[in-house]
């Protein structure tokens, strides 16, 4: 991705709670989980919400088999970066919609977790690695909308009236991998190692891709390239992220 050399480091010193929302198991392990490892090491509580079990992601395996397998791999991936709060919904993999049902699910989780920061996927059609997947676009845009829904007492009133979930205003929305990046996250050292291990935890899923992904070299080189483009002294590995102020 193209990085402005003057981008500042993201200030995570005041973070308390973070909610990461993505479409599928493994989506958060292509960089985001290294940032998560950095945050959990600093005592930040990080929750994951996956909108689908990724049951349609393995060509050789029936969804009934793939869904539980991928969920188990995701639990292992989470444990490796200090995340024990994982919720996987059963929305349909491959045909995820940014409709009111999906937005209500995400809003509910935001009101439950009460995060300072919500992290999600790029919703643009074009992303630095090519054409963005339908479910990834959907997860990103639905999460953006749900951040606002969660703070509006008159949207999804049943969340308050029936589930007693008070409106919640997340302060920031972060999109990892979107361009243009506004901030860098230093993931050098242990966070990167944990991030690599968390992607490697998707063992059966990666094997299904035919060994085409060299996880370590992919994550090491992509984060080294971002760091190399930056003027920040001593930065060896970093992620680029777009941070939007929401409240
Ligand atoms: Zn995905």
């Amino acid at each position: 991705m193209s990085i402005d050399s003057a981008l500042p480091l993201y200030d995570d010193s005041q973070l308390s709670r973070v909610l990461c929302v993505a479409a599928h198991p493994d989506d958060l392990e292509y960089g985001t989980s290294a940032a998560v490892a950095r945050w959990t090491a600093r005592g930040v509580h990080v929750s994951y919400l996956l909108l689908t079990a990724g049951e349609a992601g393995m060509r050789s395996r029936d969804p009934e088999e793939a869904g539980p397998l991928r969920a188990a791999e995701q639990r292992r991936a989470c444990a490796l970066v200090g995340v024990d709060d994982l919720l996987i919904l059963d929305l349909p993999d491959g045909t995820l919609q940014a409709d009111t049902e999906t937005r209500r699910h995400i809003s509910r989780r935001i009101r439950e977790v009460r995060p300072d920061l919500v992290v999600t996927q790029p919703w643009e059609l074009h992303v630095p690695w090519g054409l963005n997947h339908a479910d990834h676009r959907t997860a990103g845009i639905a999460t953006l909308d749900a951040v606002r829904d969660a703070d509006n007492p008159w949207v999804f009133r049943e969340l308050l009236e029936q589930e007693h979930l008070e409106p919640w205003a997340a302060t920031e929305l972060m999109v990892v991998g979107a361009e243009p990046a506004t901030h860098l996250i230093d993931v050098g050292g242990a966070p990167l190692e944990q991030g690599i291990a968390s992607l490697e935890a998707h063992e059966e899923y990666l094997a299904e891709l035919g060994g085409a992904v060299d996880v370590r070299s992919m994550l090491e080189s992509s984060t080294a390239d971002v760091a190399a483009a930056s003027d920040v002294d001593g930065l060896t590995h970093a992620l680029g992220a777009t941070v939007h102020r929401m409240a």
Side-chain angles (χ1 to χ4, degrees), residues 90-226:
D90 59 357
L91 295 172
D93 181 16
T95 55
L96 189 64
Q97 298 296 308
D99 55 13
T100 50
E101 182 192 4
T102 300
R103 283 166 55 179
R104 184 186 295 108
H105 278 298
I106 302 169
S107 295
R108 175 184 291 114
R109 199 72 192 125
I110 291 170
R111 291 188 183 192
E112 288 170 345
V113 172
R114 301 165 77 86
D116 318 298
L117 172 69
V118 175
V119 179
T120 193
Q121 302 173 278
W123 50 78
E124 288 86 2
L125 179 56
H126 293 277
V127 285
W129 51 94
L131 290 173
N132 202 0
H133 187 284
D135 287 351
H136 300 168
R137 304 198 305 268
T138 297
I141 203 76
T143 300
L144 162 61
D145 294 341
V147 167
R148 295 200 171 112
D149 299 336
D151 186 35
N152 188 332
W154 310 120
V155 175
F156 304 138
R157 292 176 66 171
E158 63 276 20
L159 292 179
L160 177 61
E161 292 168 3
Q162 294 166 26
E163 302 179 38
H164 310 293
L165 292 169
E166 297 283 342
W168 178 258
T171 310
E172 292 175 322
L173 176 67
M174 173 184 286
V175 189
V176 177
E179 290 189 317
T182 60
H183 292 78
L184 302 178
I185 304 168
D186 180 357
V187 295
L192 179 60
E193 289 303 316
Q194 289 173 261
I196 291 168
S198 74
L199 181 52
E200 288 173 342
H202 294 275
E203 199 174 350
E204 302 258 4
Y205 174 74
L206 292 170
E208 180 80 21
L209 304 180
V213 184
D214 179 345
V215 167
R216 173 167 291 277
S217 70
M218 177 183 68
L219 288 175
E220 280 181 347
S221 67
S222 63
T223 54
D225 289 348
V226 170

